[in-house]
Amino acid sequence: MEAKDARPYLVEQLKQQHCLWSYDHDAIDDLPDDMLIEFVMLYLDIDEINMLFQLFPYKKVKRSWIENVVTQGERYYTLNYFFAWYYFHVKRPRAYVKAMATRQLNRRLLA
């Protein structure tokens, strides 16, 4: 699938999973990139997550993951551990996830 077709496909997959039920249907197509990355990482499968890396630069996906998914805490700890190990090739994923969560939460508290 080409990059230009990936975004509408991902939005459609999120709609089918009922992840965007609270959004205005006219505004769903204008979903910000960070939210799209977050929702795909949380609610869709590996094939769709792989599409993110075709659609967006690696650094943007990683930044969005750290800022939006890692900070959601213990609920997604195993998922974040997997992302750190599989997608971002972190040598010590458990320590990395904990450090990034702490860093992001401190930034929010000090802002």
Side-chain angles (χ1 to χ4, degrees), residues 3-110:
K4 66 179 175 117
D5 300 328
R7 185 180 184 90
Y9 174 79
L10 292 173
V11 170
E12 186 59 36
Q13 292 300 309
L14 289 168
K15 286 180 188 177
Q16 288 179 8
Q17 295 294 324
H18 305 289
C19 299
L20 304 173
W21 61 270
S22 65
Y23 289 88
D24 180 24
H25 289 288
D26 297 331
I28 288 176
D29 294 329
D30 297 329
L31 196 65
D33 294 345
D34 286 345
M35 289 180 72
L36 178 65
I37 293 168
E38 174 187 355
F39 290 160
V40 168
M41 292 184 99
L42 290 177
Y43 303 116
L44 298 181
D45 291 327
I46 288 180
D47 292 336
E48 287 84 8
I49 295 169
N50 291 339
M51 284 183 182
L52 290 175
F53 293 95
Q54 295 173 349
L55 188 60
F56 301 109
Y58 174 87
K59 286 184 177 183
K60 184 171 190 158
V61 174
K62 186 173 182 180
R63 180 181 47 82
S64 182
W65 167 65
I66 290 171
E67 291 177 358
N68 301 314
V69 181
V70 169
T71 56
Q72 293 192 28
E74 292 295 319
R75 179 176 182 189
Y76 296 110
Y77 180 78
T78 305
L79 185 64
N80 284 320
Y81 170 73
F82 171 75
F83 288 148
W85 169 75
Y86 186 78
Y87 286 108
F88 304 114
H89 312 289
V90 174
K91 291 181 182 180
R92 295 179 44 215
R94 293 182 195 277
Y96 184 81
V97 168
K98 184 172 177 138
M100 289 300 107
T102 302
R103 180 184 296 172
Q104 290 302 313
L105 293 173
N106 284 338
R107 281 186 182 167
R108 290 179 183 180
L109 288 173
L110 297 175

